[in-house]
Structures are given as structure tokens and as C-alpha cells.
Amino acid sequence: MFQRLGLPNLGPVGCRPSGTITGKTPPPGQCNQENDSDCCKAGEKYKTYKCSPSITSETRATLTINSFEKGGDGGGPSECDDNYHSNSIPIVALSTGWYDGGSRCFNNITVRYNGRSVQAMVVDECDSTMGCDDDHDYQPPCPNNIVDGSKAVWEALGISDPDDVGSIEITWSED
């Protein structure tokens, strides 16, 4: 999804790419594109990150849509509890640096956009270090500044059809 949206996969000063991975073509029937997710392309290089921008009281990020349900485009079960979750509750996955090895699991964050806000629970990692494999639904690694939200997060922010939008610039903070 990130290449389709033209999102930069560049880190700020102090958070540089940690490497690259080379894409491979997904096997037939793999790479769920439910929310317009991108599939890895054979031979394409994808940047990886072990870090994310510093967290502040108004951390800037890009909100993308994710399915946390079994069979959805989110890949396997959530990292925090090895379970799938309903998209009708406000939940998020954070880029690897912000996910911080699971230290934010089940914590609420406040996501803000255009005068609206929603509390969402962290249940997963949007992996910035790996991708283009079965565990990651043959999707590229996440950029290092992603809050990947369920449909409920988007609806609470006043966007009923996130597929039409793709991504939005938001701020978030820890509660």
C-alpha cells in the first residue's frame, strides 16, 4: 500500500534505514489486497528500520487501514496475544520502533485527526524490519512512522470509507 500511496519510507535524523530486503513474487493466491495493500515485487529493494521517530505529546504519523481479523490483509494473528481481533473495535499496530518489542501491548494511545480523537489499544506490530514472506502476507516492510488502524479507528475519526482515502497524517500520544 505504501508505494501506491507514494508514502516516503525515509526516517528522520537519528532513525536511518537498518538495511534492505529483496522482494519476491508471492505464491499464487497469497498477498491479500483487501485494503489496497501492496504485494512485494520480485527484485525490488525495500528499506527496513529498527527505529521510529521519537515519541512526543503529539507524535506525527501516517494512519493506514489494517484488518486484524482472520483471513484479512494483516497477515497472521496479533503479536501481543497471538489472537485475531474484530475490526469493529478501535485497535492499532505500531511500526517496529514504536511497538518497542511489545512494551506498548494493550496500552491505549490517543489518535487525533482534524479535531477528532479516538482511544485505541495497541495489539500488534507493523513490522518495519521484515516483509515479503508468508508471515507478513507477502507485503513490504512497514515504513517507520505507521499507525495501522482498524476500521473502527477510522470511523471514530469521521472517515467511513478508508479505502477511498488510503492514508492520512495524524498525531498520536500515549495515554
Side-chain angles (χ1 to χ4, degrees):
M1 174 181 344
F2 307 110
Q3 285 72 31
R4 175 184 68 82
L5 298 171
L7 295 175
N9 198 3
L10 302 173
V13 173
C15 184
R16 299 283 182 212
S18 57
T20 61
I21 61 170
T22 303
K24 50 189 166 218
T25 302
Q30 300 293 312
C31 191
N32 184 330
Q33 294 182 286
E34 173 184 5
N35 291 308
D36 294 327
S37 299
D38 280 342
C39 297
C40 292
K41 295 180 176 76
E44 189 163 328
K45 299 283 187 192
Y46 298 95
K47 292 178 182 173
T48 60
Y49 292 88
K50 294 179 181 174
C51 57
S52 290
S54 297
I55 295 175
T56 67
S57 60
E58 291 188 14
T59 306
R60 295 176 50 141
T62 300
L63 179 68
T64 55
I65 180 76
N66 186 52
S67 174
F68 294 88
E69 296 178 350
K70 187 173 178 96
D73 69 339
S78 295
E79 286 293 319
C80 292
D81 61 3
D82 202 33
N83 287 311
Y84 293 96
H85 298 272
S86 171
N87 292 321
S88 65
I89 58 174
I91 52 178
V92 295
L94 298 177
S95 291
T96 295
W98 291 334
Y99 179 74
D100 192 31
S103 70
R104 292 188 172 81
C105 282
F106 309 116
N107 291 351
N108 285 329
I109 66 169
T110 300
V111 179
R112 294 176 191 80
Y113 171 74
N114 205 23
R116 292 184 178 224
S117 66
V118 60
Q119 282 196 331
M121 182 184 294
V122 176
V123 298
D124 204 0
E125 172 184 19
C126 192
D127 199 337
S128 305
T129 66
M130 301 288 293
C132 300
D133 58 15
D134 186 52
D135 283 347
H136 299 91
D137 199 37
Y138 294 94
Q139 296 174 21
C142 254
N144 66 348
N145 65 337
I146 297 297
V147 173
D148 212 7
S150 64
K151 187 164 175 70
V153 170
W154 285 80
E155 289 172 347
L157 296 175
I159 300 170
S160 59
D161 193 355
D163 286 334
D164 285 347
V165 178
S167 70
I168 57 174
E169 297 306 306
I170 54 113
T171 60
W172 70 274
S173 60
E174 297 182 278
D175 293 343

